[in-house]
PDB file of all heavy atoms in Angstrom:
ATOM      1  N   GLU N  65     -44.920   5.006 -46.293  1.00 87.00           N
ATOM      2  CA  GLU N  65     -46.096   5.464 -45.561  1.00 87.00           C
ATOM      3  C   GLU N  65     -46.019   5.092 -44.105  1.00 87.00           C
ATOM      4  O   GLU N  65     -46.739   5.644 -43.270  1.00 87.00           O
ATOM      5  CB  GLU N  65     -47.346   4.891 -46.148  1.00 87.00           C
ATOM      6  CG  GLU N  65     -47.642   5.336 -47.611  1.00 87.00           C
ATOM      7  CD  GLU N  65     -47.793   6.848 -47.716  1.00 87.00           C
ATOM      8  OE1 GLU N  65     -48.561   7.418 -46.899  1.00 87.00           O
ATOM      9  OE2 GLU N  65     -47.180   7.431 -48.631  1.00 87.00           O
ATOM     10  N   GLY N  66     -45.190   4.124 -43.709  1.00 93.00           N
ATOM     11  CA  GLY N  66     -45.088   3.694 -42.326  1.00 93.00           C
ATOM     12  C   GLY N  66     -44.891   2.196 -42.229  1.00 93.00           C
ATOM     13  O   GLY N  66     -44.466   1.547 -43.200  1.00 93.00           O
ATOM     14  N   THR N  67     -45.188   1.694 -41.068  1.00 96.00           N
ATOM     15  CA  THR N  67     -44.948   0.249 -40.755  1.00 96.00           C
ATOM     16  C   THR N  67     -46.229  -0.430 -40.329  1.00 96.00           C
ATOM     17  O   THR N  67     -46.983   0.159 -39.486  1.00 96.00           O
ATOM     18  CB  THR N  67     -43.846   0.078 -39.698  1.00 96.00           C
ATOM     19  OG1 THR N  67     -42.622   0.638 -40.227  1.00 96.00           O
ATOM     20  CG2 THR N  67     -43.630  -1.351 -39.346  1.00 96.00           C
ATOM     21  N   VAL N  68     -46.452  -1.633 -40.828  1.00 97.00           N
ATOM     22  CA  VAL N  68     -47.600  -2.419 -40.370  1.00 97.00           C
ATOM     23  C   VAL N  68     -47.077  -3.704 -39.740  1.00 97.00           C
ATOM     24  O   VAL N  68     -46.293  -4.419 -40.369  1.00 97.00           O
ATOM     25  CB  VAL N  68     -48.540  -2.781 -41.574  1.00 97.00           C
ATOM     26  CG1 VAL N  68     -49.716  -3.653 -41.101  1.00 97.00           C
ATOM     27  CG2 VAL N  68     -49.096  -1.504 -42.214  1.00 97.00           C
ATOM     28  N   PHE N  69     -47.503  -3.956 -38.522  1.00 96.00           N
ATOM     29  CA  PHE N  69     -47.186  -5.221 -37.838  1.00 96.00           C
ATOM     30  C   PHE N  69     -48.396  -6.146 -38.036  1.00 96.00           C
ATOM     31  O   PHE N  69     -49.463  -5.822 -37.669  1.00 96.00           O
ATOM     32  CB  PHE N  69     -46.942  -4.993 -36.331  1.00 96.00           C
ATOM     33  CG  PHE N  69     -45.733  -4.129 -36.042  1.00 96.00           C
ATOM     34  CD1 PHE N  69     -45.916  -2.748 -35.882  1.00 96.00           C
ATOM     35  CD2 PHE N  69     -44.482  -4.648 -35.960  1.00 96.00           C
ATOM     36  CE1 PHE N  69     -44.835  -1.922 -35.650  1.00 96.00           C
ATOM     37  CE2 PHE N  69     -43.419  -3.881 -35.753  1.00 96.00           C
ATOM     38  CZ  PHE N  69     -43.536  -2.483 -35.565  1.00 96.00           C
ATOM     39  N   LYS N  70     -48.148  -7.319 -38.735  1.00 95.00           N
ATOM     40  CA  LYS N  70     -49.192  -8.212 -39.035  1.00 95.00           C
ATOM     41  C   LYS N  70     -49.103  -9.396 -38.053  1.00 95.00           C
ATOM     42  O   LYS N  70     -48.142 -10.152 -38.059  1.00 95.00           O
ATOM     43  CB  LYS N  70     -49.061  -8.748 -40.460  1.00 95.00           C
ATOM     44  CG  LYS N  70     -49.175  -7.645 -41.503  1.00 95.00           C
ATOM     45  CD  LYS N  70     -48.952  -8.253 -42.895  1.00 95.00           C
ATOM     46  CE  LYS N  70     -49.084  -7.190 -43.955  1.00 95.00           C
ATOM     47  NZ  LYS N  70     -48.838  -7.749 -45.295  1.00 95.00           N
ATOM     48  N   ALA N  71     -50.125  -9.497 -37.188  1.00 94.00           N
ATOM     49  CA  ALA N  71     -50.101 -10.482 -36.106  1.00 94.00           C
ATOM     50  C   ALA N  71     -51.157 -11.539 -36.294  1.00 94.00           C
ATOM     51  O   ALA N  71     -52.297 -11.212 -36.599  1.00 94.00           O
ATOM     52  CB  ALA N  71     -50.275  -9.797 -34.768  1.00 94.00           C
ATOM     53  N   SER N  72     -50.778 -12.778 -36.195  1.00 92.00           N
ATOM     54  CA  SER N  72     -51.720 -13.851 -36.118  1.00 92.00           C
ATOM     55  C   SER N  72     -51.602 -14.512 -34.714  1.00 92.00           C
ATOM     56  O   SER N  72     -50.501 -14.618 -34.223  1.00 92.00           O
ATOM     57  CB  SER N  72     -51.473 -14.874 -37.196  1.00 92.00           C
ATOM     58  OG  SER N  72     -50.195 -15.498 -37.091  1.00 92.00           O
ATOM     59  N   SER N  73     -52.738 -14.810 -34.153  1.00 92.00           N
ATOM     60  CA  SER N  73     -52.768 -15.294 -32.751  1.00 92.00           C
ATOM     61  C   SER N  73     -53.770 -16.394 -32.664  1.00 92.00           C
ATOM     62  O   SER N  73     -54.962 -16.144 -32.403  1.00 92.00           O
ATOM     63  CB  SER N  73     -53.127 -14.134 -31.886  1.00 92.00           C
ATOM     64  OG  SER N  73     -53.240 -14.466 -30.528  1.00 92.00           O
ATOM     65  N   PRO N  74     -53.389 -17.666 -32.898  1.00 91.00           N
ATOM     66  CA  PRO N  74     -54.331 -18.772 -32.944  1.00 91.00           C
ATOM     67  C   PRO N  74     -55.177 -18.900 -31.698  1.00 91.00           C
ATOM     68  O   PRO N  74     -56.358 -19.215 -31.767  1.00 91.00           O
ATOM     69  CB  PRO N  74     -53.437 -20.015 -33.129  1.00 91.00           C
ATOM     70  CG  PRO N  74     -52.220 -19.475 -33.771  1.00 91.00           C
ATOM     71  CD  PRO N  74     -52.015 -18.082 -33.229  1.00 91.00           C
ATOM     72  N   PHE N  75     -54.618 -18.600 -30.493  1.00 92.00           N
ATOM     73  CA  PHE N  75     -55.368 -18.734 -29.288  1.00 92.00           C
ATOM     74  C   PHE N  75     -56.340 -17.577 -29.105  1.00 92.00           C
ATOM     75  O   PHE N  75     -57.428 -17.703 -28.481  1.00 92.00           O
ATOM     76  CB  PHE N  75     -54.444 -18.785 -28.065  1.00 92.00           C
ATOM     77  CG  PHE N  75     -55.161 -19.047 -26.753  1.00 92.00           C
ATOM     78  CD1 PHE N  75     -55.805 -20.286 -26.518  1.00 92.00           C
ATOM     79  CD2 PHE N  75     -55.187 -18.098 -25.807  1.00 92.00           C
ATOM     80  CE1 PHE N  75     -56.420 -20.481 -25.324  1.00 92.00           C
ATOM     81  CE2 PHE N  75     -55.859 -18.271 -24.579  1.00 92.00           C
ATOM     82  CZ  PHE N  75     -56.467 -19.526 -24.362  1.00 92.00           C
ATOM     83  N   GLY N  76     -55.991 -16.381 -29.663  1.00 93.00           N
ATOM     84  CA  GLY N  76     -56.916 -15.242 -29.624  1.00 93.00           C
ATOM     85  C   GLY N  76     -56.714 -14.294 -28.457  1.00 93.00           C
ATOM     86  O   GLY N  76     -57.276 -13.213 -28.479  1.00 93.00           O
ATOM     87  N   ILE N  77     -55.992 -14.648 -27.470  1.00 95.00           N
ATOM     88  CA  ILE N  77     -55.646 -13.779 -26.351  1.00 95.00           C
ATOM     89  C   ILE N  77     -54.141 -13.730 -26.245  1.00 95.00           C
ATOM     90  O   ILE N  77     -53.526 -14.819 -26.049  1.00 95.00           O
ATOM     91  CB  ILE N  77     -56.227 -14.273 -25.034  1.00 95.00           C
ATOM     92  CG1 ILE N  77     -57.765 -14.407 -25.129  1.00 95.00           C
ATOM     93  CG2 ILE N  77     -55.837 -13.366 -23.879  1.00 95.00           C
ATOM     94  CD1 ILE N  77     -58.403 -15.041 -23.884  1.00 95.00           C
ATOM     95  N   SER N  78     -53.589 -12.580 -26.402  1.00 95.00           N
ATOM     96  CA  SER N  78     -52.118 -12.564 -26.300  1.00 95.00           C
ATOM     97  C   SER N  78     -51.595 -11.127 -26.212  1.00 95.00           C
ATOM     98  O   SER N  78     -52.372 -10.193 -26.000  1.00 95.00           O
ATOM     99  CB  SER N  78     -51.485 -13.194 -27.558  1.00 95.00           C
ATOM    100  OG  SER N  78     -50.137 -13.643 -27.258  1.00 95.00           O
ATOM    101  N   ARG N  79     -50.241 -11.073 -26.361  1.00 96.00           N
ATOM    102  CA  ARG N  79     -49.574  -9.744 -26.186  1.00 96.00           C
ATOM    103  C   ARG N  79     -48.279  -9.820 -26.998  1.00 96.00           C
ATOM    104  O   ARG N  79     -47.675 -10.895 -27.216  1.00 96.00           O
ATOM    105  CB  ARG N  79     -49.197  -9.599 -24.719  1.00 96.00           C
ATOM    106  CG  ARG N  79     -48.322  -8.420 -24.426  1.00 96.00           C
ATOM    107  CD  ARG N  79     -47.860  -8.394 -22.968  1.00 96.00           C
ATOM    108  NE  ARG N  79     -46.826  -9.394 -22.776  1.00 96.00           N
ATOM    109  CZ  ARG N  79     -46.713 -10.146 -21.710  1.00 96.00           C
ATOM    110  NH1 ARG N  79     -47.548 -10.091 -20.729  1.00 96.00           N
ATOM    111  NH2 ARG N  79     -45.775 -11.073 -21.650  1.00 96.00           N
ATOM    112  N   ALA N  80     -47.859  -8.645 -27.516  1.00 96.00           N
ATOM    113  CA  ALA N  80     -46.533  -8.532 -28.123  1.00 96.00           C
ATOM    114  C   ALA N  80     -45.835  -7.250 -27.611  1.00 96.00           C
ATOM    115  O   ALA N  80     -46.497  -6.214 -27.513  1.00 96.00           O
ATOM    116  CB  ALA N  80     -46.684  -8.421 -29.636  1.00 96.00           C
ATOM    117  N   VAL N  81     -44.626  -7.368 -27.279  1.00 96.00           N
ATOM    118  CA  VAL N  81     -43.777  -6.206 -26.920  1.00 96.00           C
ATOM    119  C   VAL N  81     -42.928  -5.887 -28.181  1.00 96.00           C
ATOM    120  O   VAL N  81     -42.223  -6.750 -28.638  1.00 96.00           O
ATOM    121  CB  VAL N  81     -42.906  -6.461 -25.657  1.00 96.00           C
ATOM    122  CG1 VAL N  81     -42.030  -5.268 -25.375  1.00 96.00           C
ATOM    123  CG2 VAL N  81     -43.800  -6.835 -24.493  1.00 96.00           C
ATOM    124  N   VAL N  82     -43.056  -4.688 -28.639  1.00 97.00           N
ATOM    125  CA  VAL N  82     -42.285  -4.260 -29.837  1.00 97.00           C
ATOM    126  C   VAL N  82     -41.261  -3.222 -29.331  1.00 97.00           C
ATOM    127  O   VAL N  82     -41.649  -2.160 -28.842  1.00 97.00           O
ATOM    128  CB  VAL N  82     -43.195  -3.667 -30.893  1.00 97.00           C
ATOM    129  CG1 VAL N  82     -42.390  -3.224 -32.097  1.00 97.00           C
ATOM    130  CG2 VAL N  82     -44.279  -4.629 -31.307  1.00 97.00           C
ATOM    131  N   GLU N  83     -40.009  -3.514 -29.533  1.00 97.00           N
ATOM    132  CA  GLU N  83     -38.959  -2.599 -29.129  1.00 97.00           C
ATOM    133  C   GLU N  83     -38.248  -2.085 -30.391  1.00 97.00           C
ATOM    134  O   GLU N  83     -37.876  -2.912 -31.296  1.00 97.00           O
ATOM    135  CB  GLU N  83     -37.901  -3.354 -28.286  1.00 97.00           C
ATOM    136  CG  GLU N  83     -36.755  -2.508 -27.818  1.00 97.00           C
ATOM    137  CD  GLU N  83     -35.747  -3.298 -26.970  1.00 97.00           C
ATOM    138  OE1 GLU N  83     -36.079  -4.383 -26.516  1.00 97.00           O
ATOM    139  OE2 GLU N  83     -34.639  -2.743 -26.797  1.00 97.00           O
ATOM    140  N   ARG N  84     -38.104  -0.816 -30.526  1.00 96.00           N
ATOM    141  CA  ARG N  84     -37.452  -0.241 -31.697  1.00 96.00           C
ATOM    142  C   ARG N  84     -35.946  -0.379 -31.483  1.00 96.00           C
ATOM    143  O   ARG N  84     -35.394  -0.178 -30.452  1.00 96.00           O
ATOM    144  CB  ARG N  84     -37.866   1.201 -31.941  1.00 96.00           C
ATOM    145  CG  ARG N  84     -37.458   2.177 -30.882  1.00 96.00           C
ATOM    146  CD  ARG N  84     -37.723   3.638 -31.244  1.00 96.00           C
ATOM    147  NE  ARG N  84     -37.528   4.437 -30.056  1.00 96.00           N
ATOM    148  CZ  ARG N  84     -36.349   4.800 -29.602  1.00 96.00           C
ATOM    149  NH1 ARG N  84     -35.264   4.438 -30.243  1.00 96.00           N
ATOM    150  NH2 ARG N  84     -36.222   5.475 -28.489  1.00 96.00           N
ATOM    151  N   LEU N  85     -35.231  -0.740 -32.587  1.00 96.00           N
ATOM    152  CA  LEU N  85     -33.797  -0.899 -32.546  1.00 96.00           C
ATOM    153  C   LEU N  85     -33.119   0.296 -33.338  1.00 96.00           C
ATOM    154  O   LEU N  85     -31.928   0.244 -33.528  1.00 96.00           O
ATOM    155  CB  LEU N  85     -33.424  -2.240 -33.174  1.00 96.00           C
ATOM    156  CG  LEU N  85     -33.994  -3.454 -32.408  1.00 96.00           C
ATOM    157  CD1 LEU N  85     -33.604  -4.732 -33.169  1.00 96.00           C
ATOM    158  CD2 LEU N  85     -33.531  -3.499 -30.972  1.00 96.00           C
ATOM    159  N   VAL N  86     -33.922   1.171 -33.817  1.00 95.00           N
ATOM    160  CA  VAL N  86     -33.477   2.366 -34.526  1.00 95.00           C
ATOM    161  C   VAL N  86     -33.782   3.585 -33.714  1.00 95.00           C
ATOM    162  O   VAL N  86     -34.399   3.531 -32.668  1.00 95.00           O
ATOM    163  CB  VAL N  86     -34.135   2.436 -35.960  1.00 95.00           C
ATOM    164  CG1 VAL N  86     -33.650   1.303 -36.860  1.00 95.00           C
ATOM    165  CG2 VAL N  86     -35.664   2.477 -35.828  1.00 95.00           C
ATOM    166  N   ASN N  87     -33.342   4.724 -34.216  1.00 96.00           N
ATOM    167  CA  ASN N  87     -33.448   6.007 -33.427  1.00 96.00           C
ATOM    168  C   ASN N  87     -34.886   6.450 -33.195  1.00 96.00           C
ATOM    169  O   ASN N  87     -35.202   7.025 -32.137  1.00 96.00           O
ATOM    170  CB  ASN N  87     -32.666   7.155 -34.032  1.00 96.00           C
ATOM    171  CG  ASN N  87     -31.172   6.878 -33.948  1.00 96.00           C
ATOM    172  OD1 ASN N  87     -30.766   6.223 -33.066  1.00 96.00           O
ATOM    173  ND2 ASN N  87     -30.407   7.418 -34.899  1.00 96.00           N
ATOM    174  N   ARG N  88     -35.801   6.272 -34.169  1.00 96.00           N
ATOM    175  CA  ARG N  88     -37.135   6.789 -34.102  1.00 96.00           C
ATOM    176  C   ARG N  88     -38.146   5.789 -34.603  1.00 96.00           C
ATOM    177  O   ARG N  88     -37.834   4.941 -35.397  1.00 96.00           O
ATOM    178  CB  ARG N  88     -37.295   8.089 -34.950  1.00 96.00           C
ATOM    179  CG  ARG N  88     -36.237   9.110 -34.659  1.00 96.00           C
ATOM    180  CD  ARG N  88     -36.630  10.445 -34.170  1.00 96.00           C
ATOM    181  NE  ARG N  88     -37.935  10.822 -33.765  1.00 96.00           N
ATOM    182  CZ  ARG N  88     -38.291  11.107 -32.507  1.00 96.00           C
ATOM    183  NH1 ARG N  88     -37.415  11.075 -31.537  1.00 96.00           N
ATOM    184  NH2 ARG N  88     -39.487  11.507 -32.241  1.00 96.00           N
ATOM    185  N   TRP N  89     -39.396   5.933 -34.133  1.00 96.00           N
ATOM    186  CA  TRP N  89     -40.471   5.141 -34.656  1.00 96.00           C
ATOM    187  C   TRP N  89     -40.849   5.613 -36.055  1.00 96.00           C
ATOM    188  O   TRP N  89     -40.638   6.813 -36.360  1.00 96.00           O
ATOM    189  CB  TRP N  89     -41.693   5.251 -33.715  1.00 96.00           C
ATOM    190  CG  TRP N  89     -41.545   4.536 -32.461  1.00 96.00           C
ATOM    191  CD1 TRP N  89     -41.020   5.041 -31.279  1.00 96.00           C
ATOM    192  CD2 TRP N  89     -41.814   3.164 -32.249  1.00 96.00           C
ATOM    193  NE1 TRP N  89     -41.000   4.055 -30.341  1.00 96.00           N
ATOM    194  CE2 TRP N  89     -41.450   2.875 -30.907  1.00 96.00           C
ATOM    195  CE3 TRP N  89     -42.276   2.129 -32.996  1.00 96.00           C
ATOM    196  CZ2 TRP N  89     -41.609   1.598 -30.329  1.00 96.00           C
ATOM    197  CZ3 TRP N  89     -42.426   0.862 -32.439  1.00 96.00           C
ATOM    198  CH2 TRP N  89     -42.104   0.636 -31.156  1.00 96.00           C
ATOM    199  N   PRO N  90     -41.426   4.735 -36.865  1.00 95.00           N
ATOM    200  CA  PRO N  90     -41.893   5.193 -38.162  1.00 95.00           C
ATOM    201  C   PRO N  90     -42.973   6.274 -38.067  1.00 95.00           C
ATOM    202  O   PRO N  90     -43.597   6.400 -36.962  1.00 95.00           O
ATOM    203  CB  PRO N  90     -42.512   3.954 -38.805  1.00 95.00           C
ATOM    204  CG  PRO N  90     -41.980   2.818 -37.998  1.00 95.00           C
ATOM    205  CD  PRO N  90     -41.664   3.343 -36.629  1.00 95.00           C
TER     206      PRO N  90
END
Side-chain angles (χ1 to χ4, degrees):
E65 298 297 315
T67 298
V68 177
F69 296 94
K70 298 177 180 181
S72 61
S73 179
F75 186 68
I77 300 175
S78 201
R79 173 187 74 219
V81 177
V82 179
E83 180 181 346
R84 65 175 169 77
L85 301 175
V86 293
N87 291 333
R88 307 240 10 114
W89 286 92

